[in-house]
């Protein structure tokens, strides 16, 4: 069986579910169209973008507006022409609360040397607490979507003038503040609306039964190909990490998403010699705490549990109290890192031990790797 028969893409195909586009991809398409219109007076429709893994989807525009500032311009705002483009988010077959939302981006020219400046418009939140991958006060437009927009605007600038992209981008989502009440944003201190998210640009649809079935198929394919080492990954960033660490082929990669239990229970019945579990620190802290379903709707990061692990790693009571009160798992990790407490390693080791309990003595060696949002390894266990 070929390597192309396994891995992430084969799992998605096996579910029969239609993928969709992230808010980050939609914002990138809208920004590209708006900036093109700002420079040329014409909106490309459809507008094609390139996603981080090379896919080139085309997006139809739902909004096209070119306007000059009138007398109502607020003091201190950039003046001159502005262009707005809007894209309706299609989440595919995923039950995403932002499916059908209209993502708008308004582009205004800035003085040379300004670069690309991001602002939160109506319906996009603002970060008000530490522990997220953005500074307090920043619009909730995550790092990968920001880079996607910068890259595409640089291409547009080079095509239509040869200079740098010096532009203010205001990203908005119609009814975003209302939609955000159905998300975890308010609890995380992201106020005023939604986050602009996505590391691949693609929304992977999750039907629990279909995805668990695809995990089982992934294990079967790996075993049939003679793989002795497989990796259960929570997403594309963790997948890249294990490939870089171990050079695993595609058909040894299991896109487990939130279904850690499904991977462990099936491998218990169909063993391989070695299993690496790799994922974000916060998700794997849930596994360490005994949760086998890592979805945010069904399990939460237990800061009290992290505080107890921190104590085991040498944290004093003051630091343990800070960890227990942290806004996010990432904030707890940062507090411990600053104090020299190896919370990432402790989470990885405890998650490994939980995995071994689920495996119930099956002849499978397990190690765990915890990463941050950028894919940096922040904790790892030994193989047991």
């Amino acid at each position: 069986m070929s390597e192309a028969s396994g891995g992430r893409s084969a799992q998605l195909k096996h579910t029969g579910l239609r993928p969709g586009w992230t808010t980050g991809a939609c914002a990138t398409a809208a920004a590209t169209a708006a900036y093109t219109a700002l420079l040329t007076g014409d909106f490309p429709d459809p507008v094609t973008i390139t996603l981080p893994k090379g896919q080139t989807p085309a997006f139809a525009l739902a909004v096209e507006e070119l306007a000059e500032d009138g007398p109502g311009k607020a003091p201190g705002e950039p003046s001159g022409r502005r262009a707005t483009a809007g894209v309706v988010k299609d989440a595919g077959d995923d039950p995403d609360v932002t499916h059908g939302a209209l993502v708008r981006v308004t582009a205004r020219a800035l003085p040379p040397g300004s670069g690309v400046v991001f602002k939160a418009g109506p319906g996009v939140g603002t970060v008000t607490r530490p522990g997220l991958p953005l500074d307090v006060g920043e619009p909730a437009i995550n790092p990968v979507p920001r880079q996607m927009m910068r890259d595409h605007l640089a291409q547009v600038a080079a095509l239509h003038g040869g200079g740098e992209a010096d532009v203010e981008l205001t990203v908005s989502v119609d009814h975003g503040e209302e939609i955000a009440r159905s998300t975890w944003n308010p609890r995380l201190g992201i106020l005023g609306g939604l986050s602009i998210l996505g590391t691949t640009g693609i929304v992977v649809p999750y039907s629990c039964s279909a995805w668990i079935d695809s995990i089982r198929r992934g294990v079967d394919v790996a075993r049939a190909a003679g793989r002795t080492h497989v990796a259960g990954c929570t997403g594309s960033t963790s997948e890249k990490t294990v490939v870089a660490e171990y050079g695993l082929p595609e058909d040894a990669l299991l896109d487990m998403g939130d279904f850690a239990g499904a991977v462990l229970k099936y491998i218990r019945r169909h063993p391989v010699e070695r299993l690496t579990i790799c994922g974000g620190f916060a998700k794997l802290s849930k596994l360490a705490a005994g949760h086998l379903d890592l979805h945010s709707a069904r399990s939460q990061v237990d800061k009290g549990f992290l505080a107890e692990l921190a104590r085991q790693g040498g944290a004093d009571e003051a630091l343990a109290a800070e960890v227990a009160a942290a806004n996010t798992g990432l904030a707890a990790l940062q507090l411990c890192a600053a104090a020299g407490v190896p919370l990432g390693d402790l989470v990885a080791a405890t998650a490994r031990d939980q995995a071994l309990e689920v495996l119930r003595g099956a002849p499978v060696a397990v190690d765990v790797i915890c990463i941050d949002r950028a894919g940096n390894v922040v904790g790892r266990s030994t193989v047991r």
Side-chain angles (χ1 to χ4, degrees), residues 97-98 123 175-187 190-195:
V97 294
T98 60
H175 311 293
E177 187 165 8
E178 178 183 345
I179 297 169
R181 296 191 190 110
S182 300
T183 74
W184 287 98
N185 275 16
R187 294 192 187 189
I190 300 173
L191 303 183
L194 294 162
S195 301

Side-chain angles (χ1 to χ4, degrees), residues 69 73-82 108-111 119 168:
D69 286 321
K73 181 180 76 67
E77 284 190 354
S79 60
R81 187 161 65 168
R82 63 186 183 276
R108 294 176 187 260
L110 292 177
K119 287 198 171 182
E168 174 194 271

